[in-house]
Amino acid sequence: MKKEEWIKGEIAKWRSEGVVDKATADALFARYRSAESRIGWGAIIAGSFGALLIGLGVIAIFAANWNHLGRAERAIVAIAPLLACGGTAIAANARGWRTMAFWEPLGILWFISTIAAACLVAQTYNVGGKVPDLVMFVAALTLPVVWMTRSAVAMSAWPVLAFVYAGSSGNGWAGVDANAIVNAFLILAASVPAYVAFLRRHPPRTALVGCQVAMGLVYSLGMAWMLVFCFDCRMQTGILVFWGCSALVLGVGEAFKLPVWPMVAIITASLAAMPSVSSEAHISTYVASLALAVVTTIYGIVKRRFAFMNIGSTLLLYLILAKFFMSEADFIVKGIVLIVAGQALVALNVVLFRTKGKV
């Protein structure tokens, strides 16, 4: 066992025995996470991209000679990369390998190989069934890959299968039956335990932030889109659905100290608020959008957080200016208003920047 792994185990024991509190344990974990950070995310990204190219290259080579292979040969060729990845993962796990520089590329390659194998074998033996059944089968096969490798890319890509399943279950997004909707949300729900396990592994900061952004978007923007399309929601209801999913992500992010999720939730809610300027939206939705913009702006100013302040103030200016530009005011007046609004936004950032240094 490496020194860093032993220290992490000791820290976890100290935390469970009450010797140190959670904040101290997190600080110690961050301090001794240097083993993976020394590898460099350049190496991890390069390895991941290399794994992606290898997977696509192998598929391209066999695709070019596919018609010259018999059924048994096709099945062997399709399954071989999958078995190779699985065997490598088992051997690496037995040896105690934990570095992301190894598991991230392997997770990507294994994920691609599993999907390719399932599709090729189904095509080779003319397995009956519909596309949603194949998507469900692929989801079941690739979930263990996500669990075992904790690959940030594979974990972020896996929930997309829920949206593909729902989209392929009806005439486009319309006409999706109740069973398909339930199954789609079961696929989405199955990604939650894997994501929790990923967080508990204390991954490097870059992987942690990137995966939080991706999963936050999945559970806010992605889930809202799936609800809107599956239930054929109109604009008014659709805005409320997006706000509801954003509120869920915001609440979970605050409750479990996921620092990226509140930002993702605010961005999703702000994007959903933009159509409220339309005449199709109820005036109450427009007022609620103004309230969201004002509260976000005030929060950013009070907490000295530029991102929240800029998101809120930009949304507020958009909501006001959009209504103004729908009026019959002179175009010169509209131009002057735009200049003043831009100056106000710049001035607000300058003032906050100066005051932030004094706090």
Side-chain angles (χ1 to χ4, degrees):
M1 181 183 292
K2 295 181 179 179
K3 180 182 71 174
E4 290 82 7
E5 294 178 1
W6 177 81
I7 291 176
K8 288 180 182 180
E10 291 299 304
I11 295 171
K13 258 196 275 186
W14 299 340
R15 175 72 182 93
S16 62
E17 293 171 0
V19 177
V20 296
D21 58 18
K22 185 178 185 302
T24 305
D26 290 342
L28 289 171
F29 273 127
R31 182 181 182 87
Y32 290 103
R33 203 176 289 155
S34 58
E36 288 186 335
S37 63
R38 279 198 298 267
I39 295 170
W41 263 90
I44 296 176
I45 293 172
S48 302
F49 188 63
L52 178 63
L53 292 178
I54 291 171
L56 294 177
V58 170
I59 292 173
I61 290 173
F62 287 121
N65 300 280
W66 198 247
N67 292 332
H68 303 291
L69 301 175
R71 280 192 173 187
E73 294 168 323
R74 291 183 182 183
I76 292 172
V77 166
I79 296 174
L82 171 63
L83 296 178
C85 289
T88 302
I90 293 172
N93 192 59
R95 291 175 175 267
W97 293 359
R98 296 291 181 267
T99 174
M100 287 287 292
F102 171 79
W103 286 105
E104 186 67 31
L106 179 63
I108 295 173
L109 188 59
W110 197 0
F111 190 81
I112 295 173
S113 300
T114 305
I115 295 175
C119 295
L120 291 175
V121 170
Q123 180 197 40
T124 299
Y125 289 95
N126 297 318
V127 178
K130 300 178 180 178
V131 174
D133 298 330
L134 177 61
V135 175
M136 182 69 78
F137 181 62
V138 167
L141 288 178
T142 51
L143 185 57
V145 174
V146 173
W147 267 98
M148 190 167 186
T149 64
R150 304 291 193 269
S151 164
V153 173
M155 183 169 299
S156 302
W158 192 85
V160 176
L161 294 172
F163 311 136
V164 176
Y165 177 86
S168 61
S169 297
N171 299 320
W173 286 103
V176 181
D177 61 35
N179 288 333
I181 295 173
V182 170
N183 289 336
F185 276 95
L186 285 176
I187 296 174
L188 198 60
S191 67
V192 175
Y195 179 51
V196 172
F198 171 82
L199 296 176
R200 288 180 175 175
R201 185 188 176 193
H202 301 289
R205 179 173 175 77
T206 308
L208 180 64
V209 172
C211 201
Q212 280 192 40
V213 171
M215 300 304 286
L217 289 172
V218 164
Y219 297 132
S220 59
L221 191 63
M223 186 165 64
W225 270 115
M226 191 160 66
L227 284 168
V228 167
F229 284 115
C230 284
F231 292 100
D232 195 22
C233 299
R234 296 294 178 257
M235 179 187 293
Q236 180 71 24
T237 307
I239 293 174
L240 297 178
V241 169
F242 274 92
W243 282 350
C245 294
S246 300
L248 176 63
V249 169
L250 177 63
V252 173
E254 291 290 348
F256 293 96
K257 308 300 181 186
L258 302 175
V260 181
W261 276 27
M263 176 65 68
V264 172
I266 292 298
I267 292 174
T268 302
S270 299
L271 291 174
M274 296 178 74
S276 65
V277 300
S278 172
S279 58
E280 297 179 22
H282 195 273
I283 186 62
S284 61
T285 307
Y286 178 72
V287 173
S289 299
L290 289 172
L292 171 65
V294 170
V295 170
T296 304
T297 304
I298 294 174
Y299 174 82
I301 294 173
V302 172
K303 297 293 185 180
R304 305 292 194 272
R305 300 184 67 174
F306 284 94
F308 282 89
M309 183 203 70
N310 283 317
I311 292 171
S313 56
T314 301
L315 177 60
L316 182 62
L317 288 174
Y318 166 80
L319 294 171
I320 296 173
L321 293 175
K323 285 290 187 183
F324 174 71
F325 274 83
M326 291 178 184
S327 67
E328 300 296 330
D330 187 84
F331 201 75
I332 295 178
V333 176
K334 293 179 179 178
I336 294 172
V337 170
L338 279 177
I339 294 173
V340 172
Q343 290 175 337
L345 188 59
V346 172
L348 186 59
N349 276 275
V350 171
V351 170
L352 184 62
F353 177 76
R354 288 182 175 178
T355 57
K356 187 175 183 178
K358 299 177 182 178
V359 177

